[in-house]
Amino acid sequence: MRRILTTLMILLVVIVAGLSALVLLVNPNDFRDYLVRQVADRSGYQLQLDGPLRWHVWPQLSILSGRMTLTEPGASAPLVKADNMRLDVALMPLLSHQLKVNQVMLKGAVIELTPATEAIKDAQAPVAPRENTLPQAPEDRGWSFDIAKLQVADSVLVFQHEDDEQVTVRDIKLQMDQDDHYQANVDFSGRINRDQRDLNLSFTAKVNAGEYPHALTASFSQLNWQLKGADLPPQGIAGQASLQAEWLEEQKRLSFSQLQLTANDSKLGGEGSVLLGDKPQWQLDVHSDKLNLDNLLSQANPSADSAVSQQGQSQPRQQRPVIADSTNQPDYSSLRAFSAALQLKAGQILWRGMNFTDVNVQATNNYGLLTLAELQGKLDGGTLSLPGRLDARQSMPVSAFEPKLDNIQIGTLLKAFNYSINLTGKLSLTGEFEGGKIDADSFRRSWQGQAKLTLLDSRAEGLNFQQLVQQAVERSTNVKAKESLESATRLDEFTSSMTLDNGTLSLNDMSGKSPMMALGGKGAMDLVKEDADMRFDVTVLGGWQGESKLIDTLKNTAIPLRVYGKWDALNYSLQVDQVLRKQLQSEARDRLKAWADKNQDSQSGKDVKKLLDKL
């Protein structure tokens, strides 16, 4: 044991003595010009080191520098600024006058990717051929240079594209290891704060830089993200992702494939690409098993007149701040800045409490002209299609849609958009509508259009039209009706033409039927004030007790019924007495006419005939 300890102590003394001799004999400032020259020769960047270089021997042999900057050729501002830099170097190559940098570490760095830090290229400079992109072997200057690792800690990245708003990534931690074949492993984490929103992002990736700067590929095996803040669900949005990415410099094309993304309880996969330029061009082909938009999107606020909060708005949310520069921006003006083609297939989409299935979307954006060539899916056993377009190329957006619904439960739609109408049934509709903004409140207030609708197996709670008529007849005559405890109007089929004009929904040519009743009529509903004025002609076909001529007459007589007032407190007016009075008058006239015809030769018959002609 004593020999082992003695041997270890001797080795320790030798190592300490060697390091001490190295520190005493080799001045790290001798590398300053060499480092600057090598960086310039291999990348074109201008490296500036402020202050003296010094050794740091524990726990890693390193060269420390003070403040450093890295500037692209011709740029007006540095690309990288750091309070200090550490170069971890290998010991043995130093003994043979070789500088091998195992790792570069930057702490407190500010990395700016802005127009001010971009290189200014000389238009007369020769362009190197594509096959000669890798650096040539350096001339022998007594030293060789190599870097295998890069570490960045507690740093900031500032990104800005031309005149767009700056995006700042804070708390950056980056670890990159690269081998001789330009294969790198990258670990990154950072935080972006913008418009009272925080995005925390971290990922692990394998990067192939063998053809850089002409091409760069990366495989993201683990990407975690979390978004919280204003105008978002209270729990925020969080998820993971994996994908393959590729950058082609000559085409300015960024593409991704094998995307697998989760966001809360939603999933998304697929591929896509973007050609970067003054106006980017996007191509997206994605699919999803489930998209829960109620957990991802902040629904628009309900109208001030509505007493019911919109779906997903029961919990208070922090609203985004009003930014002065954005107040004069027209709606959807951001669509003018790019073109895109989207194809989406989703097995399930949840939106405003509605469960859509088998959804297909094909959409294109031509610099402000958004066209939905296909938007269709299934809902509650029915199908719907909603093709249309949004033209945002002018200061005021113009929207137009041609909805087609087939056997959709109308109660689901009314509940989703907070209409306090207690109505159920299978709705089929074909129409054309146009307006400005695409949201529920604008549709209520400022859209126009017309449609044909059919409602099957409908049930309107609150008023039983058949019962109202029969009760009124019982009070005015001796006719009896079968007792009914149902407080709803039921129809097997209802049809109408519909017109929407700035919040007023008019229903014309109404026609409904069931074994017990038939109705017609017309009316209007105010979608903003949530009131109605509907006029029906109700014919009760069944539910009467006994048989009489009056009952036979009632089965063929339409009773005027007016329903009006607020949707949740409707009033009605029934004109049964007037109908019965007219019926009695008509019956009396018919009898007098028959008597006059029978006694037309008598003076009394002639007098009655003259009286009937005057009436």
Side-chain angles (χ1 to χ4, degrees), residues 197-208:
R197 291 179 175 180
D198 281 312
L199 173 62
N200 291 296
L201 178 67
S202 65
F203 64 79
T204 299
K206 292 185 177 180
V207 180
N208 182 357

Side-chain angles (χ1 to χ4, degrees), residues 133 352 459:
T133 59
R352 289 181 174 267
R459 178 185 176 94

Side-chain angles (χ1 to χ4, degrees), residues 24 96 137 145 154 175 195 266 273 284 293 298 343 379 435 496 517 522 545:
L24 293 175
S96 58
F145 183 77
D154 301 331
Q175 179 71 49
D195 294 346
S266 299
S273 65
L284 297 174
L293 300 183
S298 176
Q343 181 169 336
L379 176 64
S496 177
M517 182 178 58
K522 63 180 181 179
Q545 283 187 343

Side-chain angles (χ1 to χ4, degrees), residues 211-252:
E211 297 186 18
Y212 182 81
H214 294 283
L216 189 68
T217 60
S219 174
F220 294 84
S221 58
Q222 184 177 0
L223 189 151
N224 300 299
W225 60 281
Q226 184 179 46
L227 181 63
K228 289 187 175 183
D231 207 21
L232 290 172
Q235 73 277 13
I237 304 174
Q240 298 81 39
S242 64
L243 70 150
Q244 304 288 327
E246 180 183 37
W247 168 254
L248 299 178
E249 174 64 25
E250 282 78 9
Q251 302 177 22
K252 301 296 182 183

